[in-house]
Amino acid sequence: MCSFLMQYPEGHVSRSIYAIFRILSAPPTSDGLLKEFFPDLCLAIWTTTPWTVPANAAVAVNAKLQYAVVEVQSLEGVSVIPENKEKRIGNVLKEQKKLFIIVASDLVPTLEAKWGTKLVVKKTLLGSDLENCRYAHPIDNRECPVVIGGDYITTESGTGLVHTAPGHGQEDFVTALKYGLPILSPVDDDGKFTEEAGRFGGLHVLGDGNGAVVNYLDEQMSIIMEESYKHKYPYDWRTKKPTIFRATEQWFASVEGFRQAAMDAIGQVKWIPPQAVNRISAMTSSRSDWCISRQRTWGVPIPVFYHVESKEPLMNGETIDHIKSIISQKGSDAWWYMTVEDLLPDKYRAKASDYEKGTDTMDVWFDSGSSWAAVLGKRNGLGFPADLYLEGTDQHRGWFQSSLLTCIATKGKSPYSSVVTHGFVLDEKGSKMSKSLGNVVDPHKAIEGGKNQKEAPAYGADVLRLWVSSVDYTGDVLIGPQVLRQMSDIYRKLRGTLRFLLANLHDWSVGNSVSYDDLPIIDQYALFQLENVVKNIKESYENYQFFKIFQIIQRFVIVDLSNFYFDVAKDRLYVGGTTSFTRRSCQTVLSAHLLSIVRVIAPILPHLAEDVWQNLPFQYTLEDGSTAEFVFESKWPMLNERWLAFPVEEIDFWEKILELRTEVNKVLEVARTGKLIGSSLEAKVYLHTGDASLASRLHEMCAAKTEADTLQRIFITSQVEVIPSMAIELIEKIPYSGEYLIQQKDRVWIGVSYAEGLKCERCWNYSPQVGSFVEHPTLCGRCYNVIAVQPLPSMAAVS
């Protein structure tokens, strides 16, 4: 069967008919022979394509349906329905002769109402009982059989019996192959009946030919009723004209010889998502032979010659090699403009006048399915098989399968190692995009903006790319103005994080690095988190799970960095001396974050990554000593096993600290609401836990050797005290408190009071030391030490 690219619009009106085919003989039933009991018995069929009746080869029934032999009566008091342009009664009903027909039992009431007659049930039987009945073709009187069709035969419409024209329908064609029926298609390339259609020859099947068939059948007393029928019908998408189906001679590629090899190769491919293997396996295991020829005026020609008289094809190794050499030099159009004599090899040129060129073109899926040979087999630097094929889910039937079959047939292996399939892009409400609905998102407009920049702002390519990475492409994905605004907000937060890193590394160089062993524990924990993130992102890239990369980066940047490490680090960066250990150790960690983040986001956000790279305040040197001038020259971050080896018990402890910090912030917020404090630096936090091990660790952190590891710096409060017991006299002096369960097991009591001492005007921390230094009475001890050892910047004289 020939295939078309079609649309199925609503509203096509067909000239449908209810027709009868007279039974010649019937198989035995429980009551004897049907034909003996009902000598004028007919089969009633319904069709919306009367022009296919000349090609009728059988009538199909459903073996499981119940059918009825009914007598058609037009009794007094039962009026025949009025005729009009939409509906017309056939001559057979007007004749008033006794008529017996077979229809589906369930459709008897419907047909009575439609035909305006009384249908008296005389006998019922199963569809299987009708198999091998013989009837006379209503036009040329040849004998035809009743056959068993498929599940497409229902009682939703029609009569329950289906007129079968194998040359004009896919299901009919399959049924014909099962029963060995003749494949008749008396229609030429112009859509006109051929001489094989007899009296209808030369008439257009969708024009006068259709009406001529109806009129002839009515003259032969074979029409019960004719009516207009509005329904979906296939239209050519280019010309917007109705199409017809017809069986024609085609070229096929048999897949039987290598079907199992294809199935085995499918199992060796990595399918993403994994369930995609089920889809292509089912399609490949059950597919029929591949029709590789098309009747189109464009495309790659099938290089076959036909004998002018016998129509025997001429195509062999010699002719193929000769034509291949011509096309490699002149292109495939050479087939169309060169003569047969020039296209044939020397051996056949003497008989060139006996042959003509074929006009069939190759199925475009055969073209695209051979692309692996043209690309991987011809271009330097590309290996075979391809690392990845990427397309939509519909390509399991198309490109993925055609590529697999052509490669298995010629090379015995798959042309790809991995296949990624994606869904389709819908609007924000999940509707298909349509210009008529005005819901199409134009990528160019999303990037550069529309005429009205307020309604359609320019988001840039990176925001659109960020959206692509954010969605789970294994299903259909949504996009629209609101989605793009959300992506833009996330993009700005990520950009803000990178700006923070750049700003706080303005005076840093590799020579300022602090060795890993000397770093505060909080910094080592931060590097562990960073390396874990880089490791997970790499795994997600390798598995094409870009939405996981988006989720990891978003959570890491907003939660782990902005809400914790950056928040805590600000005191070290702004208050400690410019060259102090606490600042340099923090900068060492920040530089590692900057270099890793900018490289892991580069495949998704190349413009942002390159912008950051061009503004690095220091040079990045590769292992060979060269400088990476561009971000994509810097290579992927090397896995640092040392950072990942952060002790498991320390990981667990720092997770407790982070959870404890969250609970402390809750109590601080209550104290803020109660007007006890404004800034968290105005607070002193009290902690108590019955867990001796946890209490000991908390004590150690309060008196940590490295200030960055102290609890007051982590909580961003002025003081933290771990109390050994819940003494009533102490508890009563603490105005705000709460008890919390950390990691569902460690109960911790948290109290908040106003901080002790006075406020340092430099760091804003409260300390009993403020007022102790004569030279700087408004500074705390830490700030005094910074000011005392750090030279003041020169000031211009002011008169």
Side-chain angles (χ1 to χ4, degrees), residues 255 258-268 284 404-405 408 412 414:
V255 298
F258 56 89
R259 186 190 303 275
Q260 188 55 50
M263 295 299 295
D264 293 342
I266 288 172
Q268 302 300 315
T284 305
L404 176 71
L405 295 178
I408 291 293
S414 169

Side-chain angles (χ1 to χ4, degrees), residues 428 459 479-487 489:
E428 285 179 320
Y459 290 111
I479 189 173
Q482 184 60 32
V483 172
L484 287 171
R485 279 195 292 271
Q486 292 171 355
M487 283 300 114
D489 289 341

Side-chain angles (χ1 to χ4, degrees), residues 197-213:
R199 68 184 68 248
F200 308 114
L203 299 176
H204 198 287
V205 299
L206 294 183
D208 294 341
N210 200 49
V213 171

Side-chain angles (χ1 to χ4, degrees), residues 253-376:
S254 174
V255 298
E256 285 305 320
F258 56 89
R259 186 190 303 275
Q260 188 55 50
M263 295 299 295
D264 293 342
I266 288 172
Q268 302 300 315
V269 174
K270 181 179 181 180
W271 297 92
I272 303 167
Q275 60 267 29
V277 68
N278 299 327
R279 188 170 185 182
I280 194 166
S281 293
M283 290 180 174
T284 305
S285 63
S286 61
R287 73 159 295 144
S288 56
D289 288 342
W290 184 359
C291 178
I292 61 171
S293 55
R294 295 291 184 269
Q295 290 69 54
R296 291 185 174 135
T297 56
W298 53 271
V300 176
I302 295 179
V304 59
F305 302 91
Y306 295 95
H307 195 276
V308 175
E309 294 182 0
S310 68
K311 302 303 179 184
E312 281 295 312
L314 172 62
M315 183 167 60
N316 54 41
E318 289 181 85
T319 62
I320 291 293
D321 287 341
H322 182 68
I323 295 167
K324 186 167 65 173
S325 65
I326 293 173
I327 290 179
S328 66
Q329 297 176 10
K330 300 184 178 183
S332 59
D333 280 353
W335 177 262
W336 307 115
Y337 67 76
M338 290 180 67
T339 64
V340 173
E341 184 177 1
D342 291 334
L343 290 169
L344 283 169
D346 294 339
K347 178 179 177 180
Y348 300 97
R349 285 183 180 175
K351 297 182 179 180
S353 60
D354 295 338
Y355 291 93
E356 60 186 2
K357 292 181 289 187
T359 57
D360 290 343
T361 58
M362 193 75 74
D363 175 18
V364 292
W365 289 114
F366 198 96
D367 288 2
S368 62
S370 305
S371 56
W372 56 267
V375 176
L376 302 179

